[in-house]
Amino acid sequence: MENVLITGGAGFIGSKLTLSLIEKGHKVTVLDNLSPQIHGEDVNLSPLYKSIKDKVNFIHGDVRNLSDWTKAIVNQHIIVHLAAETGTGQSMYEISKYVEVNISGTSHLLDYMANEPHQIKKVVVASSRAIYGEGKYQCEAHGIVFPETRNEKDMVSGQFEPTCTSCSKIVSLVATDEESKINPCSIYGITKYNQEQMVLVACKSLGIDACALRFQNVYGPGQSLSNPYTGILSIFSTRILNNNPINIFEDGLESRDFVYIDDVVDATILAMFNTNANDTSFNIGSGKSTDVNTVAKLLKGAYNSDIDIKVSGDFRVGDIRHNKADIYKAKRVLNFEPKIMFEQGIKLFTTWVKKQEIQKDNFDQSIKDLKLKGLMK
Ligand code: NAD
């Protein structure tokens, strides 16, 4: 049995991972600053924090402080580094904060391991599909291409599909594998790539095993229903339960690879204990893409609601069009197999949501913020 430190262990993924590791007999320490954006102003009311606080060695601290890392790292064998600022849109106007938490925060961990005695044998860092930007596509004339961020002129005219960098023709989606071009189109994506590369490079030189998990869109019971910056399943659910209409951006055919929380926890545990999962990165997703119109309809049906769903043509600067992960490498090396498909996962998610208190709908305010910053059209 191992001593495991989970940074961000009070968050959505971290709390579920914590509970699963404890059930398997491991001893878990959590380092988390209980960020109000995730946990609300009164942390005693945070269901995620409440679910773990009496079961772990909880350190209320910040990854930006080396002294907090110092308290947390003593006697640890494995570190799963999840603590991060996670909003793609928000990262475009809170740049210093994203760099400080995600990049400088990670640098303290590496400094500690490089300069202090410790027993750490493995580090797993959470990366993101955001590092690929638009991801991998096929052009009829030019084969595999990695489109640039879509231009505003096309989007204003209602042409939302990515185009070939050579001939400007519309391209079709293929699954993005780990060898695909790294092409982040948000500060968040840049920080996640920095984090994973810093961990892989530093751990290699220190002789510590490390791997990065490039999570796709993770969803499921426990995800924040009040944070308007992440997670369309939460955002739509909170809109529907407040009887507010849903405004679908673009033409609603934009898609994402939704991966269920339990599958992400399984993948993380496989990566923690697999010695072949070293000095490398894995896509962790479902391997399927689901469009936003389908998501909205499934949620409206599950909540038995009659709210309006409007496809508005609005768009956010820097949003990607589609996402589908190639998960072959995680299957081959980690033996990872996603078990919960989207239709089943959405039932489990909405069943959980119905038991929660209805949250205040902060979505309109987040759109006002984005519009003020010129990031929403
Ligand atoms: P979350 O926001 O639910 O949890 C993050 C946790 O980190 C929170 O408990 C928060 O209080 C804590 N935290 C934030 N800043 C901190 C700081 N400065 N010091 C200490 N703790 C801090 O996020 P999540 O969805 O559980 O994501 C976990 C990781 O997975 C993140 O690194 C994120 O970038 C990555 N990821 C998540 C998804 C997803 O869809 N959820 C997708 C790709 C990557």
Side-chain angles (χ1 to χ4, degrees), residues 330-342:
K331 284 185 176 188
R332 184 172 49 82
V333 180
L334 301 178
N335 223 358
F336 167 62
E337 197 59 61
K339 295 187 187 72
I340 310 279
M341 290 301 107
F342 193 62

Side-chain angles (χ1 to χ4, degrees), residues 11-13 32-33 35 38-39 62-63 82 188 192 216 218:
F12 170 40
I13 299 172
D32 199 300
N33 73 347
S35 152
I38 311 302
H39 299 280
D62 196 304
V63 293
L82 301 173
Y188 170 67
K192 293 314 281 183
Q216 312 297 304
V218 187

Side-chain angles (χ1 to χ4, degrees), residues 7-14 31-36 38-39 48 61-64 81-86 101-102 126-130 188 192 195 213-219 224 227 230:
T7 71
F12 170 40
I13 299 172
L31 169 62
D32 199 300
N33 73 347
L34 298 174
S35 152
I38 311 302
H39 299 280
L48 294 179
D62 196 304
V63 293
R64 286 169 289 189
H81 183 29
L82 301 173
E85 290 291 339
T86 65
V101 173
N102 297 1
S127 182
S128 166
R129 65 90 31 228
Y188 170 67
K192 293 314 281 183
Q195 267 190 292
L213 302 180
R214 297 174 178 171
F215 296 140
Q216 312 297 304
N217 285 59
V218 187
Y219 74 100
S224 168
N227 181 355
T230 53

Side-chain angles (χ1 to χ4, degrees), residues 241-285:
L241 296 172
N242 279 281
N243 268 323
N244 289 327
I246 290 181
N247 170 5
I248 294 190
F249 296 163
E250 305 189 12
D251 56 3
L253 298 177
E254 61 274 22
S255 65
R256 297 292 181 267
D257 182 326
F258 293 102
V259 57
Y260 193 69
I261 179 69
D262 293 8
D263 287 329
V264 168
V265 168
D266 283 355
T268 308
I269 295 175
L270 288 169
M272 287 168 65
F273 296 101
N274 185 324
T275 47
N276 294 322
N278 182 27
D279 191 24
T280 195
S281 305
F282 299 94
N283 287 339
I284 304 298

Side-chain angles (χ1 to χ4, degrees), residues 3-301:
N3 294 344
V4 182
L5 168 63
I6 306 179
T7 71
F12 170 40
I13 299 172
S15 58
K16 291 287 187 309
L17 176 64
T18 296
L19 295 176
S20 185
L21 286 168
I22 290 171
E23 211 178 283
K24 292 181 192 324
H26 301 287
K27 203 165 158 247
V28 177
T29 296
V30 165
L31 169 62
D32 199 300
N33 73 347
L34 298 174
S35 152
Q37 186 165 299
I38 311 302
H39 299 280
E41 293 303 331
D42 182 355
V43 296
N44 293 314
L45 300 177
S46 162
L48 294 179
Y49 173 54
K50 280 202 281 191
S51 73
I52 58 144
K53 71 174 184 167
D54 297 329
K55 303 189 170 88
V56 299
N57 170 27
F58 188 83
I59 296 173
H60 189 181
D62 196 304
V63 293
R64 286 169 289 189
N65 298 333
L66 180 60
S67 55
D68 291 337
W69 278 106
T70 306
K71 283 182 227 156
I73 287 180
V74 180
N75 294 330
Q76 303 300 338
H77 305 133
I78 301 178
I79 297 182
V80 183
H81 183 29
L82 301 173
E85 290 291 339
T86 65
T88 309
Q90 192 181 36
S91 77
M92 302 306 285
Y93 58 90
E94 294 200 21
I95 296 165
S96 304
K97 187 174 180 190
Y98 274 70
V99 168
E100 279 159 22
V101 173
N102 297 1
I103 301 179
S104 301
T106 304
S107 74
H108 293 314
L109 161 65
L110 304 177
D111 262 339
Y112 185 96
M113 293 193 301
N115 296 298
E116 304 295 335
H118 64 80
Q119 303 167 46
I120 298 152
K121 49 188 183 186
K122 178 91 182 222
V123 178
V124 177
V125 60
S127 182
S128 166
R129 65 90 31 228
I131 69 171
Y132 298 119
E134 290 290 350
K136 190 170 177 178
Y137 285 77
Q138 172 91 30
C139 169
E140 269 180 19
H142 297 96
I144 292 299
V145 291
F146 298 97
E148 290 305 321
T149 307
R150 297 170 293 162
N151 75 52
E152 234 176 279
K153 205 168 128 236
D154 283 349
M155 305 236 270
V156 169
S157 73
Q159 198 301 89
F160 297 111
E161 294 297 337
T163 52
C164 174
T165 35
S166 304
C167 66
S168 302
K169 289 217 174 90
I170 289 175
V171 287
S172 22
L173 178 70
V174 293
T176 298
D177 57 66
E178 290 85 352
E179 302 309 313
S180 299
K181 183 175 172 184
I182 303 301
N183 198 17
C185 48
S186 64
I187 299 294
Y188 170 67
I190 292 171
T191 64
K192 293 314 281 183
Y193 190 58
N194 268 275
Q195 267 190 292
E196 72 160 74
Q197 291 305 302
M198 285 164 64
V199 168
L200 295 185
V201 169
C203 285
K204 192 173 182 182
S205 91
L206 296 169
I208 298 168
D209 280 4
C211 71
L213 302 180
R214 297 174 178 171
F215 296 140
Q216 312 297 304
N217 285 59
V218 187
Y219 74 100
Q223 79 181 76
S224 168
L225 297 172
S226 56
N227 181 355
Y229 297 100
T230 53
I232 66 162
L233 265 73
S234 286
I235 293 169
F236 285 178
S237 294
T238 301
R239 297 286 295 169
I240 294 172
L241 296 172
N242 279 281
N243 268 323
N244 289 327
I246 290 181
N247 170 5
I248 294 190
F249 296 163
E250 305 189 12
D251 56 3
L253 298 177
E254 61 274 22
S255 65
R256 297 292 181 267
D257 182 326
F258 293 102
V259 57
Y260 193 69
I261 179 69
D262 293 8
D263 287 329
V264 168
V265 168
D266 283 355
T268 308
I269 295 175
L270 288 169
M272 287 168 65
F273 296 101
N274 185 324
T275 47
N276 294 322
N278 182 27
D279 191 24
T280 195
S281 305
F282 299 94
N283 287 339
I284 304 298
S286 69
K288 307 225 163 18
S289 64
T290 305
D291 70 57
V292 173
N293 281 334
T294 304
V295 173
K297 277 186 205 135
L298 283 172
L299 287 173
K300 183 176 163 174

